[in-house]
C-alpha cells in the first residue's frame, strides 16, 4: 500500500505540468464557414471530360466516372482528346483553411482542380463536387458553376496546444506532424503525441493484428504505420525533442471494444491494452509514456496493472490528473 501511494505521488508530480495540457487539448477550435467565390464561368460536363488523379487515388476517377454515367453524363478515356479535365491533387496544406484536414475545388471553363490534404477531406471533396453538378433546364446539359470553394472538417490541426500534438483526431501527413513536433519542441523539449484517443486508434499495432480482426480497430481514413512512426521519432530526436507517446486508455476505448468485444477494464481487455503499450514502446522507444487523463472508470486494479507494466517495460509513466 505504501509503494502504491508513493507511485501515485510520483505520477502526480510528473503530471503537474500536464494538467493545463489536458484541459486545453480537449477544446477544439470552432468550425469556420465555407469560403466560396463564384464566377460567371461554367464547366460543361459532356463526353469529352477526362478525370484523373495520382496513382494512390486512382480509384477516385473511376468511381466518379461511374457515378456520372448513372446520371447520363459521359466521360472520355482519351486524355489528348478531352476538352475539359477534372484533376484530383493531394497537397500538404490548403491556404485559407483553418486546419490541415481541408479541401479546395477550383472550377474554370476547361479545368476543375480538386486539392485535398487527407483521405477524409478527399471524401468530402468528392461529395461536394457531386453536389455541385447542376442541369441547365434550357438545353438539358450538365455543368458545374465556376469559382473557388474551400472547406474543412471539424477535425483540424487546431487541436495542437502547448506541448501536445494531436495525431489521433484526424489522419495528418507525417511531414505535418514532424513540423508540429519541431514547432512545439521549440517551447518544450517534451511533446505529447496523441496516437490513440477514445474514438480513434491511429497507431499501427502488430500484436493486436495477430490477436484478431484488428482492421476494425483503425479508422476508415487510415493510421500511422510502424515505419512512419519510427521516422517521426527519428526526426524528433534529430531536433532534440523527446516525444511522449500518448494513448488515452484511462477511459473506455470505443475502437478496441468494437474490434475485440471487450472493455479495456476487463481481464481480457487488459491483455489487449498490454499488447498495445508493448507495441508502442517497441516502435518508438520512449523514455516516458502517457495514458491520458485519470477517469473514474480506472479502478485501483487497473492502475496497478498499468503501473507494473510500465515498470516491466522500463518506461516512466505519466498520468494527467483532472
Amino acid at each position: 500500500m505504501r509503494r502504491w501511494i508513493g507511485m501515485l505521488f510520483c505520477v502526480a508530480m510528473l503530471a503537474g505540468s500536464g494538467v493545463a495540457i489536458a484541459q486545453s487539448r480537449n477544446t477544439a477550435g470552432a468550425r469556420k464557414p465555407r469560403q466560396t467565390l463564384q464566377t460567371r464561368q461554367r464547366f460543361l460536363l459532356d463526353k469529352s471530360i477526362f478525370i484523373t488523379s495520382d496513382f494512390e487515388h486512382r480509384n477516385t476517377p473511376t468511381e466518379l466516372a461511374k457515378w456520372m454515367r448513372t446520371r447520363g453524363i459521359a466521360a472520355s478515356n482519351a486524355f489528348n482528346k478531352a476538352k475539359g479535365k477534372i484533376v484530383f491533387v493531394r497537397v500538404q496544406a490548403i491556404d485559407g483553411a483553418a486546419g490541415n484536414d481541408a479541401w479546395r475545388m477550383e472550377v474554370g471553363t476547361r479545368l476543375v482542380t480538386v486539392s485535398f490534404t487527407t483521405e477524409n477531406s478527399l471524401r468530402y471533396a468528392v461529395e461536394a463536387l457531386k453536389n455541385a453538378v447542376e442541369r441547365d433546364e434550357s438545353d438539358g446539359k450538365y455543368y458545374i458553376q465556376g469559382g473557388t470553394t474551400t472547406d474543412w472538417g471539424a477535425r483540424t490541426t487546431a487541436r495542437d496546444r502547448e506541448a501536445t500534438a494531436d495525431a489521433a483526431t484526424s489522419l495528418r501527413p507525417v511531414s505535418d506532424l514532424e513540423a508540429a513536433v519541431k514547432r512545439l519542441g521549440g517551447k518544450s523539449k517534451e511533446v505529447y503525441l496523441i496516437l490513440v484517443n477514445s474514438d480513434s486508434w491511429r497507431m499501427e499495432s502488430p500484436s493486436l493484428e495477430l490477436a484478431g480482426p484488428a482492421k476494425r480497430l483503425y479508422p476508415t481514413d487510415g493510421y500511422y504505420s510502424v515505419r512512419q512512426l519510427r521516422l517521426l521519432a527519428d526526426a524528433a530526436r534529430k531536433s532534440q525533442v523527446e516525444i511522449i507517446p500518448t494513448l488515452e486508455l484511462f477511459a473506455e476505448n470505443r475502437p478496441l471494444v468494437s474490434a475485440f468485444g471487450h472493455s479495456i477494464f476487463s481481464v481480457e481487455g487488459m491483455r489487449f491494452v498490454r499488447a498495445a503499450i508493448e507495441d508502442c514502446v517497441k516502435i518508438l522507444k520512449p523514455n516516458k509514456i502517457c495514458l491520458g487523463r485519470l477517469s473514474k472508470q480506472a479502478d485501483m486494479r487497473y492502475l496497478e496493472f498499468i503501473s507494473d507494466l510500465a515498470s516491466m517495460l522500463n518506461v516512466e509513466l505519466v498520468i494527467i490528473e483532472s
Side-chain angles (χ1 to χ4, degrees):
M1 185 66 181
R2 183 178 301 171
R3 179 184 65 82
W4 173 245
I5 294 174
M7 189 281 291
L8 280 182
F9 176 78
C10 292
V11 166
M13 292 294 290
L14 287 170
S17 61
V19 174
I21 296 170
Q23 292 171 343
S24 62
R25 77 182 179 201
N26 287 331
T27 305
R31 177 169 178 165
K32 303 293 184 181
R34 181 168 59 186
Q35 299 175 354
T36 302
L37 177 63
Q38 288 192 343
T39 65
R40 294 182 179 180
Q41 299 172 330
R42 283 185 175 185
F43 180 87
L44 292 178
L45 293 161
D46 56 29
K47 63 182 179 181
S48 63
I49 299 302
F50 185 85
I51 311 172
T52 185
S53 69
D54 60 32
F55 183 79
E56 183 181 357
H57 303 95
R58 61 193 181 278
N59 290 332
T60 299
T62 302
E63 295 301 319
L64 184 57
K66 288 180 181 178
W67 179 87
M68 288 183 174
R69 284 194 290 272
T70 62
R71 285 152 181 80
I73 305 171
S76 173
N77 292 324
F79 180 82
N80 294 331
K81 296 180 181 180
K83 293 180 181 178
K85 298 179 179 66
I86 299 176
V87 181
F88 288 87
V89 182
R90 183 161 191 165
V91 297
Q92 293 295 321
I94 300 291
D95 291 339
N100 193 68
D101 192 16
W103 57 267
R104 170 177 291 166
M105 182 167 61
E106 299 170 86
V107 183
T109 55
R110 291 287 182 264
L111 177 66
V112 175
T113 302
V114 180
S115 306
F116 63 95
T117 59
T118 65
E119 303 302 311
N120 186 57
S121 60
L122 172 60
R123 287 198 301 274
Y124 282 115
V126 171
E127 289 304 311
L129 189 145
K130 291 177 180 179
N131 292 332
V133 174
E134 300 181 51
R135 188 174 186 179
D136 192 326
E137 296 300 330
S138 63
D139 57 15
K141 292 183 179 180
Y142 289 91
Y143 69 92
I144 299 176
Q145 185 63 45
T148 302
T149 303
T150 305
D151 203 358
W152 52 91
R155 304 184 301 175
T156 73
T157 59
R159 287 175 61 90
D160 289 345
R161 290 290 187 270
E162 298 174 12
T164 303
D166 184 0
T169 305
S170 64
L171 187 68
R172 299 163 58 175
V174 176
S175 58
D176 177 69
L177 283 179
E178 287 182 6
V181 169
K182 187 175 181 179
R183 182 179 67 255
L184 295 169
K187 299 178 180 180
S188 171
K189 289 302 179 182
E190 293 182 341
V191 174
Y192 290 75
L193 180 68
I194 304 177
L195 295 170
V196 172
N197 61 25
S198 60
D199 297 307
S200 296
W201 195 289
R202 297 286 178 183
M203 176 188 70
E204 182 179 7
S205 304
S207 297
L208 296 183
E209 291 179 5
L210 291 174
K215 285 187 177 180
R216 293 166 54 188
L217 181 71
Y218 306 126
T220 56
D221 59 333
Y223 56 92
Y224 305 102
S225 67
V226 169
R227 180 178 176 276
Q228 288 174 319
L229 292 173
R230 284 177 175 164
L231 288 174
L232 181 61
D234 289 342
R237 292 188 187 99
K238 289 179 182 178
S239 298
Q240 297 183 327
V241 177
E242 181 180 0
I243 286 181
I244 302 177
T246 302
L247 316 181
E248 296 182 342
L249 293 173
F250 279 130
E252 193 61 87
N253 185 270
R254 297 182 186 89
L256 192 141
V257 173
S258 175
F260 300 104
H262 298 283
S263 164
I264 64 172
F265 303 110
S266 67
V267 174
E268 189 67 22
M270 284 193 285
R271 288 181 55 245
F272 296 123
V273 169
R274 172 174 177 164
I277 293 175
E278 288 177 343
D279 278 351
C280 181
V281 172
K282 183 178 180 181
I283 294 168
L284 293 172
K285 296 180 172 55
N287 295 315
K288 300 177 183 178
I289 189 169
C290 178
L291 296 191
R293 179 183 295 179
L294 279 173
S295 74
K296 294 179 181 179
Q297 293 173 293
D299 59 17
M300 188 68 71
R301 179 195 62 163
Y302 188 76
L303 288 170
E304 287 180 343
F305 156 72
I306 293 296
S307 175
D308 290 342
L309 179 60
S311 297
M312 183 189 73
L313 296 175
N314 196 30
V315 292
E316 199 170 315
L317 178 62
V318 179
I319 302 175
I320 299 174
E321 293 185 313
S322 300

